């Protein structure tokens, strides 16, 4: 699956392109969560958030922000989820960085992530662990 999106960008594998610019390519997901589900990818291959150069990440974010209201309007959606899966543990299947734009509808039944509150003192310990690496 490593080269799949490179072939889509190059046009050797067909896709329903919705937008293209110098640094990014956006196309419909072949197996949409809802019609209009769009993937935005950097043209230059990165695996995911951990190796994408900042400039490509910013280009992807710019394209996502530009497309979001048009996708919402075109699909008459009530909302959108913007999601990036990273690494197999994060449900990443295609190892070329990509951001999902997923139209959402009132009552569409998609479940939000489950959460659980922190235990006493846990949030401070967790935040400190992250801060200590920055
Ligand atoms: P991931 O789980 O890696 O974040 O998502 C990969 C996405 O790529 C999936 O939603 C899947 O439906 C989509 N996908 C996989 N193969 C193809 C393909 O050949 N064409 C298109 N347009 N989308 C694909």
């Amino acid at each position: 699956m490593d080269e799949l999106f490179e072939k889509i960008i190059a046009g050797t594998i067909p896709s329903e392109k919705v937008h293209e610019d110098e640094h990014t390519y956006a196309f419909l997901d072949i197996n949409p969560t809802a019609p209009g589900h769009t993937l935005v990818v950097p043209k230059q291959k990165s695996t995911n958030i951990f190796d994408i150069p900042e400039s490509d990440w910013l280009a992807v974010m710019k394209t996502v922000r530009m497309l979001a209201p048009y996708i919402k309007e075109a699909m008459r959606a009530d909302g959108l989820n913007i999601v990036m899966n990273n690494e197999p543990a994060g449900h990443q299947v295609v190892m070329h960085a990509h951001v999902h734009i997923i139209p959402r509808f009132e009552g569409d039944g998609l479940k939000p992530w489950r959460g659980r509150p922190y235990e006493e003192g846990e949030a401070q310990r967790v935040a400190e662990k992250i801060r200590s690496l920055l």
Side-chain angles (χ1 to χ4, degrees):
M1 293 290 243
D2 267 32
E3 292 176 9
L4 176 63
F5 287 177
E6 283 161 88
K7 289 181 177 159
I8 285 176
I9 294 162
T12 52
I13 291 177
S15 68
E16 283 299 335
K17 179 172 89 172
V18 297
H19 174 76
E20 179 176 11
D21 60 29
E22 192 183 347
H23 299 294
T24 67
Y25 188 90
F27 58 104
L28 295 186
D29 194 298
I30 204 167
N31 190 23
T33 299
H37 179 163
T38 298
L39 302 176
V40 182
V41 307
K43 285 186 172 174
Q44 182 170 315
K45 193 214 151 91
S46 300
T47 303
N48 55 34
I49 194 67
F50 299 112
D51 67 348
I52 189 168
E54 186 179 71
S55 57
D56 277 346
W57 175 248
L58 293 177
V60 168
M61 288 297 98
K62 194 171 172 193
T63 297
V64 167
R65 186 179 181 283
M66 185 278 288
L67 287 176
Y70 296 112
I71 293 172
K72 181 171 181 279
E73 183 182 346
M75 306 321 298
R76 297 178 179 276
D78 301 310
L80 293 178
N81 284 137
I82 292 167
V83 177
M84 184 183 197
N85 297 327
N86 293 283
E87 304 290 353
H91 298 153
Q92 184 178 10
V93 175
V94 177
M95 302 311 278
H96 182 130
H98 56 279
V99 171
H100 297 253
I101 304 175
I102 302 172
R104 294 298 306 273
F105 301 87
E106 298 292 350
D108 65 16
L110 277 181
K111 299 263 187 297
W113 284 312
R114 281 193 312 263
R116 67 150 182 91
Y118 283 111
E119 284 160 18
E120 185 67 31
E122 189 186 1
Q124 289 82 351
R125 287 195 298 279
V126 168
E128 182 48 33
K129 228 184 237 183
I130 298 168
R131 284 193 297 260
S132 70
L133 295 174
L134 301 180

